[in-house]
Amino acid sequence: MAPIRNARVLFNSHPEGYPVPGETTVYDATPTIDVDNVPLNGGFLVKTLVVSVDPYFRGRMRKPDPKSYAAYAAGFALGEPLYGYGIAKVLRSETPDVEVGKYIYGPNIMHQEYTVYPGLGTTLRLIEKHPDLPWTAYVGAAGMPGKTAWFAWQEFSDAKAGQIAFVTTGAGPVGSMVIQLAKAAGMKVIASAGSEEKVQFMKSIGVDVPFNYKTTDTREVLAKEGPIDIFWDNVGGEILDAALEFSAVYGRFILCGSIAGYNQPHVPIKNTPLIAVRSLHLHGILVFRLEHKYDKAFYATIPEKLASGEIKYSEEVVRGLEGVGDLILRVQKGENKAKAVVVVADE
Amino acid sequence: MAPIRNARVLFNSHPEGYPVPGETTVYDATPTIDVDNVPLNGGFLVKTLVVSVDPYFRGRMRKPDPKSYAAYAAGFALGEPLYGYGIAKVLRSETPDVEVGKYIYGPNIMHQEYTVYPGLGTTLRLIEKHPDLPWTAYVGAAGMPGKTAWFAWQEFSDAKAGQIAFVTTGAGPVGSMVIQLAKAAGMKVIASAGSEEKVQFMKSIGVDVPFNYKTTDTREVLAKEGPIDIFWDNVGGEILDAALEFSAVYGRFILCGSIAGYNQPHVPIKNTPLIAVRSLHLHGILVFRLEHKYDKAFYATIPEKLASGEIKYSEEVVRGLEGVGDLILRVQKGENKAKAVVVVADE
């Protein structure tokens, strides 16, 4: 077969504030690949089916800072394709444990149509699909965001029936999973998001007190509905400060992200002295640091619950890598309606 | 016996910034008591031997705030005596379980020479003295501050040999106990205090990197000697922010106090996003919330180690309740040289 297009999305420049489609990232449809003959050198060739666009992408776009002890994974490299969680199908293989026709999942699926990997390495894995779930779910509720919620909830929530949870970005893939875990534990759930549509979705998955933080004062809600026993935070800044203010004694804070400060300066936090006064526990989490402990149980449990509808999820699907840049911006601004996923190709 | 003086220290006004001796608190030598005939109404009469002056006193001096969910114990009442940890001797008793000649300890020993209590209640307890320790130690290394350090270290430090601890107020009764626990666990210890004399004391108890935060830049020390696996904080503000900046992945932060913000506005914290990035754990602690779990083991272990010199401690002893107001101010300013204790009377 003659060489075919191997389009990709390149990281082009470090953004100052919000990433700019076409400038921060560039869609490049010029490369080609001869899928039948490209040398594998002992590795395998995949066709990318799905790539995920997630809030943490912004951290990967920062300029490297040698003074920082930051434990981030490496940033995106200028002039190279973006990468993130995704699903890809194996087209050819010289690796015995990666058979043709199987599917791989991991945090380093390239934002390009075809990729040769030297091997699974420590981060890629083979994955099987539940017959009643789409592949897109495997980068959302059945993938990294769902795992983030489920792993950390098992490890740190110490959930008790009758207690109160407050969940930010409650319509997103992490928040909506946390909400359903909290409800299943018998908790009262307060949750925030940034649009009326998201408020309706949060209501549909059982949130007792859903609110739009853009039109309703968070402190007023918490003063009336708190104090908070569990705070799940994807936002940081002002909302974290408010949650500290209205925390209950022995409150557990699971700090998962701080998107309020990804594209503009962080709002400093004033209420840290309450951590001692109220004997609070704040746990920072990154999904891959809990994977060894909970991964197996997650795949044995969650896809089935998603397929049966016991746990609900929602996603916003964009088709084609050309939509990645715009979707990244919309995720950073919270304008996406649900988990942002890009379908690169059908099987 | 004729009535005798029953001097006391009254809480007189809510301070704005630092407490002012003679204004915030007033020494009042006018009351008298007939120790032989004062009615006990089923309770017991004690003579106060020792009272402790601690940083947390400042929190008790705040105006009550009905909007706050703060879990503080009640504030000092205007016109009433101060109270805090102390040791008192039982002079008379109508309570079967409190015998004359025994000693009591607890957080509500009044800052007055003689007091009638209705009973031990839930906070007072009988206490026995190690023959080689003074009573003053029982409000310091063998009392609340020592317990604070020891309880929380057992519960939250997850100490590992070879790791690095950073301890603030390292010459104080909490900090110096933490330092010795960290050294006993085989850790490298960085510790800060506010005078050269305190730096020398920290050196004498084994600190590897003692420094005076008033003359040495904390960030420079941490950049060179960190990153920090365990941070013990009694200070808050800028130092907490610096510790977050130079934290190691999986770092444990034990937040015990934040004196930097007790008498002036808190410095807001900018580095909270690193809590998620580095999977940090921040634990706020208050000693009485861990007492049920560790109190017995503490008294069985620590007084003997203090008496034998295996664990070192230091104290600054003031004689007479008239010195309380000035000592409170010096503790708030960090001008005390060691654990601040007032000997009210000898036996």
Side-chain angles (χ1 to χ4, degrees), chain A residues 67-72 156 222-227 237 240 245-247 249-250 255-258 266-270 272-286 289-290 292, chain B residues 67-72 156 222-227 237 240 245-247 249-250 255-258 266-270 272-286 289-290 292:
Chain A
K67 279 190 305 182
S68 168
Y69 279 84
Y72 273 118
F156 297 120
L222 299 182
K224 183 171 168 232
E225 304 287 349
L240 171 56
E245 185 176 338
F246 296 99
S247 58
V249 173
Y250 301 122
L255 305 186
C256 176
S258 51
H266 284 293
V267 175
I269 307 293
K270 294 183 191 133
T272 50
L274 293 174
I275 297 170
V277 170
R278 296 185 188 155
S279 301
L280 305 180
H281 304 287
L282 278 63
H283 301 285
I285 58 145
L286 278 185
R289 297 201 179 112
L290 291 166
H292 64 284
Chain B
K67 277 190 304 180
S68 167
Y69 279 85
Y72 273 120
F156 297 119
L222 299 183
K224 184 170 169 237
E225 304 287 349
L240 171 57
E245 186 176 338
F246 295 99
S247 58
V249 173
Y250 300 123
L255 306 185
C256 175
S258 51
H266 285 291
V267 175
I269 307 294
K270 294 184 192 132
T272 50
L274 293 174
I275 298 171
V277 170
R278 296 185 187 155
S279 301
L280 306 180
H281 304 287
L282 279 63
H283 300 285
I285 58 146
L286 278 185
R289 298 202 179 112
L290 291 167
H292 64 284

Side-chain angles (χ1 to χ4, degrees), chain A residues 123-173:
Chain A
T123 54
L124 294 173
R125 56 165 286 164
L126 294 168
I127 191 161
E128 285 180 32
K129 196 175 78 66
H130 190 289
D132 298 334
L133 283 178
W135 274 124
T136 49
Y138 282 82
V139 297
M144 181 277 284
K147 290 185 192 184
T148 299
W150 200 75
F151 293 177
W153 187 263
Q154 310 300 316
E155 184 81 1
F156 297 120
S157 70
D158 191 18
K160 293 185 178 74
Q163 287 195 340
I164 300 171
F166 174 36
V167 182
T168 59
T169 68

Side-chain angles (χ1 to χ4, degrees), chain B residues 9-70:
Chain B
V9 183
L10 300 175
F11 184 51
N12 189 57
S13 69
H14 299 288
E16 287 302 321
Y18 283 103
V20 181
E23 193 177 304
T24 307
T25 58
V26 172
Y27 175 69
D28 172 21
T30 60
T32 59
I33 187 170
D34 181 344
V35 293
D36 297 323
N37 298 304
V38 61
L40 303 183
N41 301 317
F44 59 90
L45 170 71
V46 299
K47 178 184 180 183
T48 308
L49 302 183
V50 166
V51 294
S52 181
V53 166
D54 292 297
Y56 76 82
F57 274 28
R58 186 62 184 78
R60 288 251 163 97
M61 293 176 169
R62 293 226 183 98
K63 283 184 189 151
D65 177 5
K67 277 190 304 180
S68 167
Y69 279 85

Side-chain angles (χ1 to χ4, degrees), chain B residues 11 129 305 344:
Chain B
F11 184 51
K129 195 175 80 63
K305 286 183 194 282
V344 180

Side-chain angles (χ1 to χ4, degrees), chain A residues 36-93:
Chain A
D36 296 323
N37 298 303
V38 62
L40 303 183
N41 300 315
F44 59 90
L45 169 71
V46 299
K47 178 183 180 184
T48 307
L49 302 183
V50 167
V51 294
S52 181
V53 167
D54 292 296
Y56 77 81
F57 274 27
R58 186 61 183 78
R60 288 251 164 98
M61 293 177 171
R62 293 222 185 103
K63 281 183 189 151
D65 176 5
K67 279 190 305 182
S68 168
Y69 279 84
Y72 273 118
F76 294 134
L78 288 173
E80 296 291 324
L82 303 184
Y83 57 91
Y85 287 93
I87 301 287
K89 185 173 185 177
V90 181
L91 298 187
R92 290 170 50 214
S93 178

